[in-house]
Amino acid sequence: MNKKLIIGNWKMYCQDLVEAKKIVAKAKKVAALLENTEVVDCVPTPFLGVLASRRSANFHIGAQSVSVEKEGAHTGDVGAVALGSAGAEYVIVGHSEQRKAGDTDELVSKKANAALEAGLKAIVCVGEDARDVEGGSHFDFLKKQINDSLANIPAKLAKGIVVAYEPVWAIGAKEAMNPEQIYEMSLFVRKVIADIFSQEAALKAIVLYGGSVNAANAADIVRVGQIDGILVGRESVNATGFSLILKAVDAIA
Ligand code: PGA
């Protein structure tokens, strides 16, 4: 059995390094007790170096964005190589908040490529804005978004991709998508990955769910949703809440 993957997406919720060290210390301590779960905290870029020095066997550090450029005259951009050099092992690309700020599918695929080529794991976020219960058009939307966001990624780099299915309407919301629907969507995501790469790649692919995960719903989402893990926003900076999520998911047989 593959280990479950729990990724914390800190966004801009914690902007104080002293506080950040405390959150990481707690997550790392709990992670050390887990048997079936890997933990990644995606932290603000300036904190990467310091927090990455706390990495351990199943506690990793990731970044929240990456430049599409590889090197050179790009003032203010942070490239994948620099993220890796600072200790990041993962980077989020295509988060809906970045898509809202202008990232197109094409840009997302280029960023994912840049990350993978630098040896990082790319957490590629996808998800529909709204569910079309009558017509099911969200399936077509998602298929196109996944296809375009993973375009031009060579098959040999595919194993570094983590696909995070995050329905936009469930992000920062009161409630997560229900676990039965998550199961249906995870099968669909895997089918699309199989069509892009291969059946084998789809079986091996890591597919996560994200959107309003908390300690109360995390275990059901992973168990009933039959997914490989979760992407946690708000609750990832709540040291107590995040610990409970880690323990709940790890306890799934
Ligand atoms: P949330 O955010 O857990 O606060 O809903 C999830 C995300 O945006 O990754």
Side-chain angles (χ1 to χ4, degrees), residues 9 11 13 95-97 166 170-173 210-213 231-235:
N9 173 13
K11 309 193 183 187
Y13 291 132
H95 191 280
S96 64
E97 286 147 17
E166 297 205 296
I171 295 175
S212 300
V213 177
L231 184 52
V232 183
R234 282 158 291 171
E235 284 297 293

Side-chain angles (χ1 to χ4, degrees), residues 175-227:
E175 282 183 37
M177 181 181 238
N178 82 50
E180 287 80 14
Q181 285 172 338
I182 293 173
Y183 175 56
E184 180 189 28
M185 298 312 287
S186 73
L187 290 179
F188 183 74
V189 169
R190 237 176 252 286
K191 163 88 177 66
V192 177
I193 297 172
D195 291 345
I196 299 173
F197 297 108
S198 65
Q199 190 67 35
E200 199 199 342
L203 288 174
K204 283 191 191 148
I206 298 174
V207 179
L208 311 181
Y209 165 82
S212 300
V213 177
N214 57 41
N217 63 20
D220 265 1
I221 285 175
V222 174
R223 193 175 48 78
V224 181
Q226 294 200 30
I227 41 163

Side-chain angles (χ1 to χ4, degrees), residues 127-161:
E128 75 280 1
D129 290 324
R131 268 175 92 75
D132 173 11
V133 181
E134 298 283 300
S137 64
H138 53 282
F139 285 106
D140 297 331
F141 172 87
L142 193 59
K143 184 174 179 184
K144 182 168 172 12
Q145 193 186 46
I146 297 171
N147 266 302
D148 294 352
S149 301
L150 300 182
N152 303 318
I153 293 180
K156 68 174 192 319
L157 294 181
K159 61 177 184 316
I161 300 170

